[in-house]
Amino acid sequence: MPQNLAHAVAEQPGDRQHHSDETVGDAGTAAEASTTDATPRAEVVDGLDRSDEPGLLTRLLQVLIGPSFVMTWFRRSLALALGVIVWHFAVATDFNWYINFENVAAPSEVWASLTKQLSGSMFYKHIAVSLQRILIAYVLAAVVGISLGLVMGRSRIANDLVMPFVELFRPIPAVAWIPLAILMWPTEEGSIIYITYLGALFPIILNTVSGVEQTPEVLVRAARSLGAGRMQIFRHVVLPAALPNIATGLAVGMGVAWFSLLAGEIISGQYGIGYFTWTAYHLIKYDDIIVGMLTIGLLGTASTLAVRLLMAPFLKWQRKAR
Amino acid sequence: MLNIIKFNATAGAQTVPVMPKQPRVKPDTGNIKIDNVSISFGRGEQHHLAVSETSIEIKPGEFVCILGPSGCGKSTLLNAVAGYVKPTRGQVLLDGKAVTGPGPDRGMVFQQYSLFPWKTVRENVAFGPRILGRASPTPEAIADTFIDMVGLTKFAKRYPAELSGGMQQRVGIARALANYPTVLLMDEPFGALDSQTRHVMQENLLKIWGEFGITVLFVTHDIDEAVFLGDRVLVMSASPGKIIADIPVRLPRPRDPDIALDEDFMRIKRLCHERIKQESMRAFDQQNT
């Protein structure tokens, strides 16, 4: 069992908790099945009785302090530490063989620069402005993307009308939008939010569409035979069936929103973590470049995690699904 | 093995007694008339006659099994009664009214995986009554009655993925019955279950049917199942799908699994077997020429 668990973790780091739960649950079921086989009880009708299943708290503890959980985080921390050490020595030895580390700030310099930034107020301002842009652009993209995706998934006509634009615009990188965005939007802020919004929009649309299209036909039939009309089928069958894909689209969209935002902030004249990073380059503050980059990475990861956590309550039925 | 089944059968009887005081199923409803129905798919080269000029009349409260090899069109015929498939010719009448689409008067139980995975057992069973706007008793109360009937009260708050295949099918039956349909349509509902679970499910189904007295149209490719359950077995042939035999099963009820050792049971089984065998040989020859 521990090997299995580790395996599941290695395969899909993002869904670790999900996998662990599943495995623990399966072990419980197998055990019960064997005990009930040996001593059948009156209420057992088809050989499954779960009265012996460990409680929620016990299972949570098993997952949290189980060897796999500790090992996973140990390995992950170790990997990051190794990365920092390699970085340190590459800089310390002025590594210059095709890739040049001579102008890269050392981990210690970056750390010093980070603590300095964190003690001032300007750095927080940059972060706050970026977060605000992300929030506006992302909420817009989520609302528009999910609505469009749902309609496109259910209607051939809507799909044929919108899909060509999605296919055509999706490969255009955010940076390529900068000139046109500046020309189109009255304010700089508008251009940046627009570019960020576009980045998040396409993955959300496409995942929603595929989620709707994957609705099992048998569930639609079941709902119809129970008396459900079109709108009820949409609300009770199509929408929940698409939710796992919508959640994926939202998570991917958040990641894309961040690197689109960074492209957009090149044109920003004052604030934003992308602006901070870009300015650091111009001002030859090489340590701040890395501070900016790591901040972006951290914020991106944190916000994607936030999206997943927000969606989790809607997907709890999936925890034991195959 | 028989002992286990008998044991479970009595266990089932103990869990069944809670029934709605006044079943809403009126007597003498649930008459199905399949009137000269043909169903074909595709055009030209792809044209396929799934059901050909079939007429069947099913009396209210009758348990009828449609038996045939896979691909013979038995599910298509069932889907025509359910209203998912429109007959190319002819019509299906339920209590004298033509079937034009699916509806809550015909409860449907599918082969597998037809529960809403995002709804708990209780929410699944309450779905029909909720959609129909039942107020008293509440959808939840109706759901609890039927969940109790199939012996799954302890699992009411579970999601389908947490249940075994047999349990899921019991929920499927409870969900179909919660709308108090006049007809129960079952499309190989136990086909994906292991044989032990299947036997238990068959017995439970007979008990439920005995209490409700509703018409059941049951599609299967399992001869034992058809003979054990049905008042009649309709044997269907492939390409084009046609009823080739209407075999009455005059075995006493309530039926016990031991009935499988009965001489009459074996005789009827042999009869079905012969008809099916002739048909599969014919179909096989057709496919290879």
Side-chain angles (χ1 to χ4, degrees), chain B residues 4-276:
Chain B
I4 296 170
I5 292 168
K6 280 182 78 171
F7 168 80
N8 280 326
T10 27
Q14 282 160 5
T15 59
V16 164
V18 186
M19 282 301 305
K21 282 268 159 56
Q22 297 162 303
R24 298 200 192 173
V25 181
K26 284 173 266 159
D28 298 326
T29 57
N31 171 284
I32 303 171
K33 198 172 173 198
I34 298 173
D35 186 13
N36 201 26
V37 162
S38 296
I39 302 167
S40 53
F41 299 111
R43 287 163 186 277
E45 287 285 296
Q46 303 286 306
H47 184 269
H48 172 62
L49 188 59
V51 177
S52 169
E53 292 169 5
T54 297
S55 294
I56 308 165
E57 172 131 30
I58 297 167
K59 289 197 294 271
E62 209 173 10
F63 198 126
V64 174
C65 295
I66 303 180
L67 175 69
S70 38
C72 74
K74 54 192 192 299
S75 290
T76 308
L77 191 60
L78 189 82
N79 283 338
V81 180
Y84 299 127
V85 175
K86 200 171 140 34
T88 318
R89 267 203 307 271
Q91 60 177 347
V92 178
L93 298 167
L94 176 63
D95 293 324
K97 270 175 62 185
V99 166
T100 53
D105 50 353
R106 283 147 292 146
M108 185 82 192
V109 181
F110 301 86
Q111 185 168 7
Q112 56 177 337
Y113 304 127
S114 74
L115 299 180
F116 305 118
W118 41 85
K119 290 184 189 292
T120 61
V121 167
R122 180 181 283 125
E123 289 164 350
N124 262 283
V125 180
F127 181 74
R130 181 174 300 280
I131 289 290
L132 298 184
R134 299 238 189 274
S136 162
T138 61
E140 283 71 25
I142 297 175
D144 287 343
T145 309
F146 284 93
I147 292 167
D148 188 48
M149 187 182 76
V150 296
L152 289 176
T153 301
K154 279 204 293 186
F155 299 88
K157 287 179 184 163
R158 301 279 187 138
Y159 287 98
E162 298 175 273
L163 306 183
S164 69
M167 290 164 141
Q168 291 190 27
Q169 284 309 67
R170 276 147 70 191
V171 178
I173 293 169
R175 184 178 67 175
L177 290 173
N179 269 348
Y180 297 93
T182 52
V183 173
L184 193 59
L185 304 173
M186 308 184 85
D187 190 359
E188 303 201 36
F190 310 143
L193 305 178
D194 63 84
S195 73
Q196 288 225 358
T197 310
R198 189 159 62 231
H199 287 302
V200 177
M201 295 290 288
Q202 289 165 358
E203 277 194 84
N204 281 351
L205 175 63
L206 281 186
K207 273 195 204 78
I208 291 166
W209 172 72
E211 307 233 6
F212 263 74
I214 67 172
T215 310
V216 179
L217 191 54
F218 190 103
V219 162
T220 180
H221 62 252
D222 181 334
I223 299 175
D224 282 272
E225 185 168 69
V227 178
F228 178 64
L229 293 175
D231 292 321
R232 272 159 79 194
V233 177
L234 307 175
V235 181
M236 201 161 170
S237 81
S239 53
K242 227 173 173 147
I243 303 291
I244 51 161
D246 184 344
I247 300 167
V249 184
R250 294 199 187 85
L251 296 171
R253 293 198 190 262
R255 289 177 192 169
D256 193 82
D258 284 347
I259 209 169
L261 307 170
D262 190 282
E263 230 169 81
D264 285 333
F265 186 94
M266 301 228 237
R267 190 180 49 77
I268 298 166
K269 208 177 124 178
R270 232 181 343 257
L271 199 62
C272 297
H273 194 73
E274 274 164 26
R275 300 310 305 265
I276 292 227

Side-chain angles (χ1 to χ4, degrees), chain A residues 134 137-138 141-142 195-205 207 245-261 300 303-304 307-308:
Chain A
I134 283 279
Y138 184 74
I195 290 171
T196 310
Y197 157 85
L198 273 186
L201 183 66
F202 296 121
I204 296 175
I205 292 183
N207 278 285
N245 283 54
I246 292 177
T248 304
L250 286 174
V252 175
M254 183 52 99
V256 183
W258 273 99
F259 59 76
S260 303
L261 173 82
S303 48
T304 305
V307 170
R308 287 197 188 279

Side-chain angles (χ1 to χ4, degrees), chain A residues 240-241 243-244 313-321, chain B residues 117-119 159 161:
Chain A
L243 262 186
F314 301 105
L315 298 173
K316 62 176 195 282
W317 55 270
Q318 248 200 335
R319 277 172 59 218
K320 291 202 173 183
Chain B
W118 41 85
K119 290 184 189 292
Y159 287 98

